[in-house]
Amino acid sequence: MGLQRTSSQAQWVGLSNGVFSVKHGETKEEYAAFSGLLIGIGFVDKKGFEGREYRQMVLTFQSGSEIYKIGLDTRNGYARSIKMKLPNVDLTREFELVPTYKAETKDASCFINQGGIAIKQKWTRDNPGDLPPAESAKLGGKTVWDFSAQEQWLEKYLLDHVGPIAAANLVKPPSGQSSGPSGHDEAGGEESQDNPEDGAGVPADSQDVPF
């Protein structure tokens, strides 16, 4: 079977303001896209900016001989758009993540490309399937959306349907060689830290929720 990397050897990749980043000591390099083979997905409770508690989705990728981890607040625009599209990805092959961010509205999203094709959402307003709808309420004259039931359902769905396929990828090498963060071939850095303001609005992708 050969040698297998442990999670402690993984390179953490940050995502904020529409760019991926990797730290090398005191320096940080930024990238427009990330590609790799998904070998793991998980969810953990975290404390972030000013002690704010949140749920984090951790995606683990293999790219060439390197292992990368991307940790995202499950309710920001990047994570939500990725979760809605992952089930439509061929998880036995590498794919590319291309984040977008609109500073003026703080809207964040993430395109997924595979084989030159943009992956669409599995669930939409017109075809929500079994996905529970977001619940709305009025607070101070403004509409506030509650995604709790939807988030819990998505987490279970991804662990049940995406998790086993990703885990099976760990025992075989990825098809072809890719460079992780675009143009990056080295490891070294620390866990992603979410920007509390990043992706706070409705995701920029017109197909994305709320619905």
Side-chain angles (χ1 to χ4, degrees):
M1 185 174 179
L3 296 175
Q4 178 175 311
R5 284 178 173 268
T6 63
S7 59
S8 63
Q9 293 175 292
Q11 165 70 67
W12 283 91
V13 180
L15 174 55
S16 185
N17 298 321
V19 294
F20 290 106
S21 62
V22 176
K23 286 188 175 180
H24 301 277
E26 298 300 317
T27 64
K28 181 171 71 172
E29 297 180 0
E30 296 184 340
Y31 306 90
F34 177 93
S35 60
L37 180 72
L38 187 68
I39 60 173
I41 182 171
F43 295 85
V44 295
D45 292 320
K46 299 282 288 184
K47 282 190 177 182
F49 186 72
E50 295 182 343
R52 181 180 66 92
E53 296 182 354
Y54 66 99
R55 191 75 168 161
Q56 185 185 63
M57 175 174 68
V58 180
L59 302 174
T60 305
F61 290 89
Q62 182 174 350
S63 180
S65 62
E66 302 295 339
I67 303 297
Y68 298 90
K69 288 182 179 287
I70 301 174
L72 299 169
D73 185 333
T74 57
R75 301 187 68 174
N76 73 22
Y78 306 121
R80 288 187 62 78
S81 58
I82 290 172
K83 287 185 292 183
M84 300 292 275
K85 296 168 185 172
L86 268 182
N88 282 341
V89 173
D90 178 356
L91 297 168
T92 66
R93 299 166 51 216
E94 296 186 359
F95 58 91
E96 180 184 50
L97 301 177
V98 183
T100 65
Y101 181 65
K102 295 182 179 179
E104 62 275 13
T105 56
K106 298 178 182 177
D107 292 345
S109 188
C110 190
F111 293 103
I112 297 181
N113 300 320
Q114 188 173 56
I117 298 173
I119 303 299
K120 303 297 184 181
Q121 290 186 185
K122 179 175 177 63
W123 305 278
T124 65
R125 288 186 181 86
D126 295 332
N127 185 24
D130 295 330
L131 182 70
E135 299 177 357
S136 64
K138 290 290 185 179
L139 182 63
K142 295 183 178 180
T143 300
V144 178
W145 292 94
D146 181 1
F147 295 93
S148 299
Q150 193 175 89
E151 289 296 320
Q152 292 174 9
W153 189 92
L154 277 171
E155 180 174 324
K156 184 177 187 306
Y157 184 95
L158 293 174
L159 290 175
D160 290 346
H161 295 83
V162 173
I165 302 175
N169 287 335
L170 185 60
V171 301
K172 63 181 180 180
S175 57
Q177 290 287 110
S178 66
S179 57
S182 292
H184 178 62
D185 295 310
E186 299 177 358
E190 60 185 30
E191 179 177 354
S192 167
Q193 295 295 322
D194 291 309
N195 179 344
E197 298 299 328
D198 214 6
V202 177
D205 190 330
S206 61
Q207 295 190 81
D208 279 327
V209 287
F211 62 84

